Short mmCIF file of all heavy atoms in Angstrom, two decimals:
data_model
loop_
_atom_site.label_atom_id
_atom_site.label_comp_id
_atom_site.label_asym_id
_atom_site.label_seq_id
_atom_site.Cartn_x
_atom_site.Cartn_y
_atom_site.Cartn_z
N LEU A 1 -43.35 51.78 -81.95
CA LEU A 1 -42.00 51.81 -82.38
C LEU A 1 -41.19 52.71 -81.52
O LEU A 1 -41.60 53.89 -81.23
CB LEU A 1 -41.93 52.31 -83.88
CG LEU A 1 -42.76 51.54 -84.88
CD1 LEU A 1 -42.80 52.18 -86.21
CD2 LEU A 1 -42.18 50.12 -85.05
N ALA A 2 -39.94 52.31 -81.19
CA ALA A 2 -39.05 53.12 -80.40
C ALA A 2 -37.63 53.07 -80.99
O ALA A 2 -36.99 52.02 -81.02
CB ALA A 2 -39.03 52.59 -78.98
N GLU A 3 -37.23 54.24 -81.51
CA GLU A 3 -35.89 54.37 -82.10
C GLU A 3 -34.84 54.64 -80.98
O GLU A 3 -35.08 55.24 -79.95
CB GLU A 3 -35.82 55.50 -83.11
CG GLU A 3 -36.73 55.40 -84.21
CD GLU A 3 -38.06 56.22 -84.08
OE1 GLU A 3 -38.39 56.54 -82.88
OE2 GLU A 3 -38.67 56.64 -85.06
N SER A 4 -33.61 54.32 -81.24
CA SER A 4 -32.42 54.58 -80.44
C SER A 4 -31.20 54.54 -81.30
O SER A 4 -31.22 54.06 -82.46
CB SER A 4 -32.35 53.51 -79.29
OG SER A 4 -32.15 52.24 -79.78
N GLY A 5 -30.19 55.06 -80.74
CA GLY A 5 -28.89 54.97 -81.37
C GLY A 5 -28.42 56.31 -82.08
O GLY A 5 -27.27 56.36 -82.61
N GLY A 6 -29.21 57.30 -82.04
CA GLY A 6 -28.80 58.63 -82.63
C GLY A 6 -27.74 59.22 -81.79
O GLY A 6 -27.45 58.85 -80.71
N GLY A 7 -27.17 60.35 -82.34
CA GLY A 7 -26.15 61.02 -81.59
C GLY A 7 -25.39 61.94 -82.50
O GLY A 7 -25.78 62.26 -83.59
N SER A 8 -24.24 62.40 -82.04
CA SER A 8 -23.37 63.34 -82.83
C SER A 8 -22.08 62.63 -83.18
O SER A 8 -21.52 61.86 -82.34
CB SER A 8 -22.98 64.53 -81.96
OG SER A 8 -24.20 65.30 -81.68
N VAL A 9 -21.70 62.76 -84.38
CA VAL A 9 -20.46 62.13 -84.88
C VAL A 9 -19.77 63.01 -85.94
O VAL A 9 -20.45 63.92 -86.54
CB VAL A 9 -20.88 60.75 -85.54
CG1 VAL A 9 -21.77 60.96 -86.72
CG2 VAL A 9 -19.68 59.91 -85.86
N GLN A 10 -18.51 62.86 -86.05
CA GLN A 10 -17.84 63.64 -87.12
C GLN A 10 -18.02 63.01 -88.47
O GLN A 10 -18.22 61.82 -88.60
CB GLN A 10 -16.32 63.68 -86.67
CG GLN A 10 -16.06 64.64 -85.50
CD GLN A 10 -14.57 64.94 -85.33
OE1 GLN A 10 -13.74 64.12 -85.73
NE2 GLN A 10 -14.31 66.07 -84.76
N SER A 11 -17.78 63.84 -89.47
CA SER A 11 -17.84 63.37 -90.87
C SER A 11 -16.99 62.21 -91.04
O SER A 11 -15.80 62.17 -90.57
CB SER A 11 -17.47 64.52 -91.80
OG SER A 11 -17.57 64.15 -93.10
N GLY A 12 -17.42 61.15 -91.74
CA GLY A 12 -16.72 59.90 -92.01
C GLY A 12 -16.93 58.86 -90.96
O GLY A 12 -16.57 57.70 -91.13
N GLY A 13 -17.60 59.20 -89.82
CA GLY A 13 -17.93 58.28 -88.77
C GLY A 13 -19.13 57.46 -89.05
O GLY A 13 -19.70 57.48 -90.15
N SER A 14 -19.44 56.57 -88.09
CA SER A 14 -20.61 55.59 -88.21
C SER A 14 -21.43 55.70 -87.03
O SER A 14 -21.08 56.01 -85.94
CB SER A 14 -19.95 54.15 -88.34
OG SER A 14 -19.13 54.05 -89.44
N LEU A 15 -22.69 55.28 -87.27
CA LEU A 15 -23.70 55.16 -86.20
C LEU A 15 -24.56 53.96 -86.63
O LEU A 15 -24.78 53.72 -87.81
CB LEU A 15 -24.59 56.40 -86.03
CG LEU A 15 -23.98 57.59 -85.32
CD1 LEU A 15 -24.92 58.78 -85.41
CD2 LEU A 15 -23.66 57.28 -83.87
N ARG A 16 -25.18 53.25 -85.65
CA ARG A 16 -26.15 52.27 -85.90
C ARG A 16 -27.47 52.63 -85.17
O ARG A 16 -27.48 52.75 -83.95
CB ARG A 16 -25.73 50.88 -85.49
CG ARG A 16 -26.71 49.85 -85.96
CD ARG A 16 -26.28 48.43 -85.74
NE ARG A 16 -26.60 48.03 -84.32
CZ ARG A 16 -26.71 46.76 -83.94
NH1 ARG A 16 -26.67 45.78 -84.89
NH2 ARG A 16 -26.95 46.43 -82.71
N LEU A 17 -28.52 52.83 -85.95
CA LEU A 17 -29.82 53.12 -85.33
C LEU A 17 -30.57 51.77 -85.16
O LEU A 17 -30.44 50.91 -85.97
CB LEU A 17 -30.63 54.07 -86.24
CG LEU A 17 -29.99 55.38 -86.62
CD1 LEU A 17 -30.94 56.19 -87.49
CD2 LEU A 17 -29.58 56.12 -85.45
N SER A 18 -31.31 51.74 -84.16
CA SER A 18 -32.26 50.60 -83.86
C SER A 18 -33.69 51.04 -83.69
O SER A 18 -33.90 52.13 -83.22
CB SER A 18 -31.79 49.85 -82.61
OG SER A 18 -30.47 49.38 -82.65
N CYS A 19 -34.60 50.24 -84.08
CA CYS A 19 -36.00 50.46 -83.94
C CYS A 19 -36.66 49.21 -83.39
O CYS A 19 -36.75 48.22 -84.09
CB CYS A 19 -36.55 50.95 -85.18
SG CYS A 19 -38.41 51.16 -85.14
N ALA A 20 -37.12 49.29 -82.13
CA ALA A 20 -37.75 48.14 -81.58
C ALA A 20 -39.22 48.29 -81.68
O ALA A 20 -39.87 49.31 -81.38
CB ALA A 20 -37.36 48.04 -80.10
N ALA A 21 -39.85 47.26 -82.13
CA ALA A 21 -41.36 47.27 -82.43
C ALA A 21 -42.05 46.24 -81.43
O ALA A 21 -41.51 45.28 -80.95
CB ALA A 21 -41.61 46.77 -83.81
N SER A 22 -43.27 46.74 -81.09
CA SER A 22 -44.11 45.89 -80.19
C SER A 22 -45.57 46.09 -80.56
O SER A 22 -45.93 47.06 -81.27
CB SER A 22 -43.87 46.28 -78.73
OG SER A 22 -44.26 47.61 -78.48
N GLY A 23 -46.36 45.13 -80.20
CA GLY A 23 -47.81 45.34 -80.35
C GLY A 23 -48.42 44.52 -81.44
O GLY A 23 -49.64 44.43 -81.52
N SER A 24 -47.61 43.97 -82.37
CA SER A 24 -48.24 43.23 -83.46
C SER A 24 -47.22 42.19 -83.95
O SER A 24 -46.17 41.98 -83.34
CB SER A 24 -48.72 44.11 -84.55
OG SER A 24 -49.51 43.39 -85.48
N ILE A 25 -47.53 41.51 -85.04
CA ILE A 25 -46.63 40.52 -85.58
C ILE A 25 -45.58 41.20 -86.44
O ILE A 25 -45.94 41.52 -87.58
CB ILE A 25 -47.44 39.41 -86.32
CG1 ILE A 25 -48.47 38.82 -85.42
CG2 ILE A 25 -46.39 38.32 -86.86
CD1 ILE A 25 -49.37 37.77 -86.10
N PHE A 26 -44.43 41.43 -85.90
CA PHE A 26 -43.39 42.21 -86.57
C PHE A 26 -43.06 41.69 -87.96
O PHE A 26 -42.91 42.42 -88.88
CB PHE A 26 -42.12 42.18 -85.68
CG PHE A 26 -40.99 42.96 -86.23
CD1 PHE A 26 -40.87 44.35 -86.24
CD2 PHE A 26 -39.90 42.25 -86.81
CE1 PHE A 26 -39.84 45.00 -86.76
CE2 PHE A 26 -38.82 42.95 -87.34
CZ PHE A 26 -38.77 44.27 -87.27
N SER A 27 -42.92 40.36 -88.11
CA SER A 27 -42.53 39.83 -89.29
C SER A 27 -43.50 40.06 -90.49
O SER A 27 -43.03 39.97 -91.67
CB SER A 27 -42.27 38.27 -89.18
OG SER A 27 -43.49 37.67 -88.85
N LEU A 28 -44.63 40.47 -90.23
CA LEU A 28 -45.62 40.71 -91.32
C LEU A 28 -45.53 42.12 -91.87
O LEU A 28 -46.08 42.43 -92.90
CB LEU A 28 -47.07 40.57 -90.79
CG LEU A 28 -47.46 39.06 -90.30
CD1 LEU A 28 -48.84 39.13 -89.79
CD2 LEU A 28 -47.19 38.08 -91.43
N TYR A 29 -44.73 42.94 -91.16
CA TYR A 29 -44.64 44.37 -91.61
C TYR A 29 -43.38 44.65 -92.38
O TYR A 29 -42.28 44.13 -92.08
CB TYR A 29 -44.67 45.21 -90.35
CG TYR A 29 -46.10 45.40 -89.75
CD1 TYR A 29 -46.54 44.37 -88.97
CD2 TYR A 29 -46.84 46.48 -89.96
CE1 TYR A 29 -47.85 44.47 -88.37
CE2 TYR A 29 -48.10 46.61 -89.41
CZ TYR A 29 -48.66 45.61 -88.69
OH TYR A 29 -49.89 45.67 -88.17
N GLY A 30 -43.55 45.48 -93.37
CA GLY A 30 -42.38 46.15 -93.95
C GLY A 30 -41.95 47.19 -93.00
O GLY A 30 -42.74 47.75 -92.24
N MET A 31 -40.63 47.45 -93.00
CA MET A 31 -40.03 48.45 -92.12
C MET A 31 -39.17 49.45 -92.89
O MET A 31 -38.49 49.09 -93.75
CB MET A 31 -39.15 47.72 -91.06
CG MET A 31 -39.91 46.75 -90.18
SD MET A 31 -41.20 47.42 -89.17
CE MET A 31 -40.25 48.55 -88.08
N GLY A 32 -39.25 50.70 -92.42
CA GLY A 32 -38.50 51.72 -93.16
C GLY A 32 -37.85 52.70 -92.21
O GLY A 32 -38.20 52.85 -91.03
N TRP A 33 -36.86 53.35 -92.73
CA TRP A 33 -36.19 54.48 -92.15
C TRP A 33 -36.42 55.73 -93.02
O TRP A 33 -36.11 55.68 -94.21
CB TRP A 33 -34.74 54.24 -91.81
CG TRP A 33 -34.45 53.35 -90.74
CD1 TRP A 33 -34.14 51.99 -90.85
CD2 TRP A 33 -34.39 53.62 -89.34
NE1 TRP A 33 -33.93 51.48 -89.56
CE2 TRP A 33 -34.04 52.46 -88.72
CE3 TRP A 33 -34.65 54.81 -88.57
CZ2 TRP A 33 -33.95 52.34 -87.25
CZ3 TRP A 33 -34.50 54.70 -87.25
CH2 TRP A 33 -34.15 53.49 -86.57
N TYR A 34 -36.84 56.78 -92.36
CA TYR A 34 -36.97 58.07 -93.03
C TYR A 34 -36.16 59.09 -92.26
O TYR A 34 -35.80 58.87 -91.15
CB TYR A 34 -38.47 58.52 -93.11
CG TYR A 34 -39.29 57.73 -94.11
CD1 TYR A 34 -39.64 56.46 -93.83
CD2 TYR A 34 -39.89 58.33 -95.17
CE1 TYR A 34 -40.45 55.69 -94.68
CE2 TYR A 34 -40.62 57.69 -96.08
CZ TYR A 34 -41.01 56.40 -95.83
OH TYR A 34 -41.73 55.75 -96.70
N ARG A 35 -35.95 60.29 -92.93
CA ARG A 35 -35.26 61.29 -92.23
C ARG A 35 -35.86 62.69 -92.63
O ARG A 35 -36.36 62.84 -93.74
CB ARG A 35 -33.73 61.32 -92.42
CG ARG A 35 -33.28 61.63 -93.82
CD ARG A 35 -31.81 61.39 -93.95
NE ARG A 35 -31.28 61.66 -95.24
CZ ARG A 35 -30.01 61.42 -95.69
NH1 ARG A 35 -29.21 60.84 -94.86
NH2 ARG A 35 -29.68 61.77 -96.92
N GLN A 36 -35.80 63.60 -91.68
CA GLN A 36 -36.24 64.94 -91.90
C GLN A 36 -35.25 65.92 -91.43
O GLN A 36 -35.00 66.01 -90.22
CB GLN A 36 -37.56 65.17 -91.28
CG GLN A 36 -38.24 66.45 -91.62
CD GLN A 36 -39.76 66.50 -91.20
OE1 GLN A 36 -40.19 65.74 -90.33
NE2 GLN A 36 -40.47 67.41 -91.72
N ALA A 37 -34.69 66.69 -92.30
CA ALA A 37 -33.74 67.73 -92.01
C ALA A 37 -34.51 69.03 -91.70
O ALA A 37 -35.64 69.16 -92.18
CB ALA A 37 -32.72 67.99 -93.13
N PRO A 38 -33.95 70.01 -90.96
CA PRO A 38 -34.67 71.20 -90.66
C PRO A 38 -35.10 71.97 -91.95
O PRO A 38 -34.40 72.13 -92.88
CB PRO A 38 -33.57 72.02 -89.91
CG PRO A 38 -32.67 71.05 -89.34
CD PRO A 38 -32.56 69.89 -90.31
N GLY A 39 -36.39 72.27 -91.93
CA GLY A 39 -36.91 73.00 -93.06
C GLY A 39 -37.20 72.22 -94.33
O GLY A 39 -37.55 72.75 -95.34
#
């Protein structure tokens, strides 16, 4: 899995993250986004 699309934005703004998958049959997998803030 390879994520892209992160960056810096002001409050109220928008971003679109992408995650490209390879190596297996993508359609068989559930996909998720998680996040981890400092600490």
Side-chain angles (χ1 to χ4, degrees):
L1 303 171
E3 303 98 334
S4 61
S8 296
V9 64
Q10 289 192 330
S11 182
S14 298
L15 285 172
R16 189 176 80 154
L17 304 183
S18 300
C19 174
S22 61
S24 190
I25 304 175
F26 176 78
S27 62
L28 297 180
Y29 285 78
M31 300 296 298
W33 286 98
Y34 286 70
R35 68 187 182 187
Q36 187 167 18

